[in-house]
């Protein structure tokens, strides 16, 4: 089976500000811890899915990426981005493979593929911890794959405070397609069953208009909540802005000192805004997030699905985005991982990775295209960044080209900055020198090998530069060696099957 891919003509950009308004309006080594494809129909676009190469940086901006997406470290030694724990891009890809469908390259976000899988970072006792390791890339021996790992402190279910959840449910006509509503109802039942009796739930259903279908109700009255979920059904057209506005009004009415307050949007992201001003809704989402009400967006449905709208709404609401393609995924997110889905460990979290130009000629960050920050804003806490929830990890992968010679000094340093629960800024850092880099993936951490396979997969899906150096057969072989190294972990075994299908 082939997973067909579309090429994209421009770098994926975040739908923030006016662009997001338009979309809403119109969318229906450890420190601190072969050949090109000859597949039929293969198109060799440039890096990050571009089918036109980057301009020659000598002609325009000297800090612009090269044709392989590499940035000259002598011109720009720092890479800065907001942290992100989303996983929706990977589960959507998985759903597409299972259904024999395709996923648009614009929906392939490398960091979300990598974030889906378990890592081996040591979790800190509080806040965030950072580590770095690296391995030589066998297909580019002068290059290293550098992994910057950020782990958040876990919080037990007993430790978390009670939560008030406002469920904003898409009940538009498009939710009648492909079992979307059934998936939604199963996910909501799973979520409610995992809550405590002292938690509270309210629910808004939106179609042409928005209605409160469940007033704030303690989960001790679980039968009433479940009964409301059972009555949800697709109706008419879509007014997502009205649903979100009413949902936030309801959440505001429940806001209580000492309790978490969250809005959970469940939708296929197909939105046709009615009378409500979308710009006002986006401003509301952002301001409520600053006041402590985070937005979690849950995507459903392989057809008529607006991935970027849901991902960017979650970014605007300082939350996270997940795509549900199965009952097992709903269980993973809302039952097993409920506490980590609700408790924020670090606010406005960002990373800055700095390379030593004397040792590094160029580098490329894999993913995070729509989470980039200006280097000078790293310590500007007035600039919004990302939220990291309890017990999560997030990973940044870099391709790094080293210069000839040896040095005992670190060639890369990663610093993470975030605001703790008291609002104080905290920074933590880790560095790596050449002597602590693995000579090959087989000598590296099994999790680093895992992340290399994932990055090779997304690079192929995007038509990136590695696809010229690593054949489909070589990618399959590297993937097939993973399960034995990771105790036949189910997610890794599943990854092998997906790699086989996507490269067949």
């Amino acid at each position: 089976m082939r997973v067909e891919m579309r090429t994209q003509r421009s770098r994926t950009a975040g739908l923030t500000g006016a662009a997001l308004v338009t979309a809403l309006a119109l969318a229906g080594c450890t420190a601190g811890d072969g050949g090109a494809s000859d597949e039929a129909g293969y198109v060799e676009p440039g890096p990050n899915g571009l089918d036109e190469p980057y301009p020659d940086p000598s002609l325009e901006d000297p800090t612009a990426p090269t044709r392989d997406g590499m940035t000259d470290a002598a011109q720009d030694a720092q890479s800065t981005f907001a942290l992100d724990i989303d996983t929706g891009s990977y589960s959507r890809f998985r759903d597409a493979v299972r259904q024999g469908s395709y996923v648009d390259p614009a929906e392939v976000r490398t960091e979300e593929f990598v974030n889906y899988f378990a890592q081996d970072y040591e979790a800190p006792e509080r806040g965030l911890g950072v580590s770095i390791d690296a391995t030589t890339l066998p297909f580019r021996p002068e290059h290293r794959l550098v992994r910057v790992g950020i782990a958040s402190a876990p919080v037990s279910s007993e430790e978390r405070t009670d939560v008030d959840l406002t469920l904003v449910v898409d009940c538009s006509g498009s939710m009648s397609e492909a079992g979307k509503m059934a998936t939604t109802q199963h996910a909501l039942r799973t979520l409610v069953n995992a809550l405590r009796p002292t938690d509270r739930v309210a629910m808004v259903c939106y179609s042409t208009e928005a209605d409160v279908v469940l007033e704030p109700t303690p989960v001790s009255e679980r039968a009433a909540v479940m009964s409301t979920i059972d009555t949800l059904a697709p109706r008419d057209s879509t007014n997502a802005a009205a649903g979100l506005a009413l949902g936030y009004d309801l959440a505001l009415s429940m806001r209580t000192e000492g309790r978490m307050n969250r809005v959970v949007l469940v939708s296929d992201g197909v939105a046709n805004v009615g009378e409500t001003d979308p710009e006002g809704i986006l401003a509301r989402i952002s301001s409520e997030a600053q006041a402590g009400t985070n937005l979690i967006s849950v995507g459903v449905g392989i057809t008529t699905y607006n991935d970027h709208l849901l991902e960017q709404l979650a970014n605007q609401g300082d939350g996270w985005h997940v795509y549900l393609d199965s009952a097992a995924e709903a269980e993973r997110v809302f039952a097993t991982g409920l506490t980590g889905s609700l408790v924020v460990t670090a606010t406005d979290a960002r990373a800055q990775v700095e390379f030593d130009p004397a040792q590094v000629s160029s580098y490329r960050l894999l993913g995070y295209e729509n989470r980039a920050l200006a280097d000078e804003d790293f310590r500007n806490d007035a600039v919004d960044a990302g939220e990291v929830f309890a017990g999560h990890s997030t990973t940044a992968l870099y391709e790094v080209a080293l210069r000839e010679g040896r040095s005992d000094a670190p060639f890369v340093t990663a610093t993470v900055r975030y605001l703790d629960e008291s609002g104080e800024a905290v920074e933590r850092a880790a560095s790596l020198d050449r002597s602590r880099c693995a000579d090959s993936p087989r000598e590296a951490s099994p999790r680093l090998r895992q992340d290399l396979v994932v990055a090779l997969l997304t690079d192929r899906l995007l038509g990136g530069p590695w696809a010229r150096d690593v054949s489909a057969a070589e990618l399959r072989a590297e993937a097939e060696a993973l399960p034995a190294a990771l105790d036949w972990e189910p997610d890794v075994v599943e990854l092998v099957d997906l790699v086989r299908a996507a490269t067949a």
Side-chain angles (χ1 to χ4, degrees):
M1 179 195 74
R2 175 183 299 278
V3 181
E4 299 179 12
M5 308 301 301
R6 299 172 182 167
T7 58
Q8 60 180 17
R9 292 190 175 273
S10 60
R11 185 186 294 271
T12 303
L15 299 178
T16 55
L20 184 52
V21 170
T22 302
L24 186 59
L26 299 179
C29 26
T30 306
D33 107 308
S37 171
D38 57 0
E39 299 167 280
Y42 175 75
V43 178
E44 188 178 275
N48 297 310
L50 297 171
D51 54 7
E52 296 178 2
Y54 288 113
D56 185 337
S58 66
L59 300 179
E60 297 181 11
D61 181 0
T63 67
T66 66
R67 292 177 183 272
D68 268 1
M70 304 290 285
T71 296
D72 185 341
Q75 297 290 340
D76 183 3
Q78 296 177 328
S79 169
T80 309
F81 55 92
L83 299 187
D84 193 336
I85 64 167
D86 294 352
T87 60
S89 180
Y90 177 75
S91 49
R92 178 144 170 81
F93 160 74
R94 179 176 62 194
D95 199 13
V97 171
R98 288 172 171 170
Q99 299 198 35
S101 184
Y102 65 89
V103 61
D104 191 312
E107 298 179 13
V108 176
R109 294 180 290 276
T110 297
E111 72 275 13
E112 295 186 24
F113 275 56
V114 175
N115 282 346
Y116 188 88
F117 294 88
Q119 301 293 341
D120 52 4
Y121 313 135
E122 181 178 352
E125 293 185 4
R126 300 177 65 84
L128 302 182
V130 58
S131 63
I132 313 180
D133 59 353
T135 183
T136 298
L137 287 173
F139 52 92
R140 292 184 175 182
E142 72 282 10
H143 290 207
R144 303 293 180 268
L145 178 70
V146 173
R147 178 177 64 155
V148 176
I150 296 100
S152 65
V155 175
S156 70
S157 58
E158 294 77 18
E159 291 175 301
R160 81 159 172 89
T161 58
D162 289 336
V163 63
D164 294 327
L165 289 182
T166 302
L167 309 176
V168 179
V169 184
D170 186 345
C171 295
S172 64
S174 64
M175 291 291 286
S176 64
E177 304 168 357
K180 293 178 185 178
M181 185 54 75
T183 299
T184 296
Q185 290 172 310
H186 176 81
L188 294 178
R189 293 186 192 104
T190 302
L191 171 57
V192 172
N193 277 328
L195 293 172
R196 299 173 181 160
T198 49
D199 295 326
R200 290 189 296 177
V201 175
M203 196 180 314
V204 168
C205 180
Y206 70 86
S207 179
T208 306
E209 298 179 347
D211 302 300
V212 176
V213 295
L214 180 71
E215 295 288 347
T217 303
V219 178
S220 56
E221 300 176 25
R222 200 178 304 268
V225 180
M226 293 298 193
S227 177
T228 302
I229 294 172
D230 292 342
T231 65
L232 295 174
R235 300 177 185 173
D236 302 310
S237 58
T238 313
N239 193 337
L244 284 167
L246 185 56
Y248 275 102
D249 287 343
L250 202 52
L252 182 59
S253 74
M254 284 199 290
R255 187 175 293 167
T256 305
E257 187 71 27
R259 296 172 68 92
M260 291 186 290
N261 195 286
R262 304 285 182 261
V263 173
V264 180
L265 170 67
V266 187
S267 173
D268 60 8
V270 180
N272 296 311
V273 177
E275 298 294 328
T276 307
D277 171 22
E279 189 165 4
I281 294 301
L282 295 175
R284 177 83 183 272
I285 291 172
S286 180
S287 65
E288 295 288 358
Q290 292 173 20
T293 301
N294 302 81
L295 174 66
I296 299 163
S297 71
V298 181
V300 294
I302 194 66
T303 60
T304 55
Y305 178 78
N306 191 331
D307 166 80
H308 280 289
L309 179 59
L310 291 174
E311 189 241 354
Q312 291 299 314
L313 284 174
N315 287 349
Q316 194 87 356
D318 287 346
W320 47 268
H321 167 58
V322 65
Y323 176 86
L324 300 183
D325 61 338
S326 65
E329 186 66 9
E331 183 78 15
R332 186 183 75 88
V333 174
F334 290 130
T336 307
L338 178 65
T339 297
S341 298
L342 299 174
V343 180
V344 177
T345 295
T347 301
D348 281 332
R350 63 201 72 196
Q352 186 167 84
V353 181
E354 184 166 4
F355 299 92
D356 175 10
Q359 299 186 67
V360 174
S361 61
S362 59
Y363 64 88
R364 175 171 73 111
L365 173 60
L366 283 65
Y368 291 96
E369 287 86 358
N370 63 9
R371 303 293 275 163
L373 296 175
D375 293 337
E376 59 268 25
D377 286 335
F378 177 63
R379 291 187 172 90
N380 182 357
D381 297 323
V383 174
D384 189 42
E387 273 54 45
V388 180
F389 288 69
H392 282 263
S393 65
T394 185
T395 301
L397 300 176
Y398 286 88
E399 179 182 5
V400 177
L402 295 178
R403 300 185 189 276
E404 293 183 359
R406 304 293 296 180
S407 173
D408 294 331
F411 69 89
V412 56
T413 298
T415 306
V416 172
R417 181 181 177 90
Y418 62 93
L419 304 183
D420 63 16
E421 61 274 9
S422 68
E424 292 296 316
V426 178
E427 290 189 12
R428 291 179 177 167
S431 299
L432 187 71
D433 61 61
R434 297 187 190 208
S435 67
R436 294 200 294 273
C437 296
D439 290 332
S440 73
R442 300 298 171 101
E443 298 174 36
S445 156
R447 292 297 182 188
L448 180 54
R449 287 177 60 191
Q450 163 195 283
D451 295 342
L452 173 58
V453 169
V454 173
L456 286 168
L457 171 62
T458 59
D459 192 79
R460 178 164 292 273
L461 296 175
L462 291 167
W466 287 354
R468 298 192 297 267
D469 298 328
V470 181
S471 69
E474 288 169 329
L475 172 54
R476 288 192 294 270
E478 191 61 32
E480 287 163 0
L482 278 180
L486 288 164
D487 298 325
W488 301 94
E489 187 176 289
D491 286 344
V492 177
V493 173
E494 181 180 67
L495 172 65
V496 176
D497 292 337
L498 295 176
V499 169
R500 287 171 177 157
T503 60

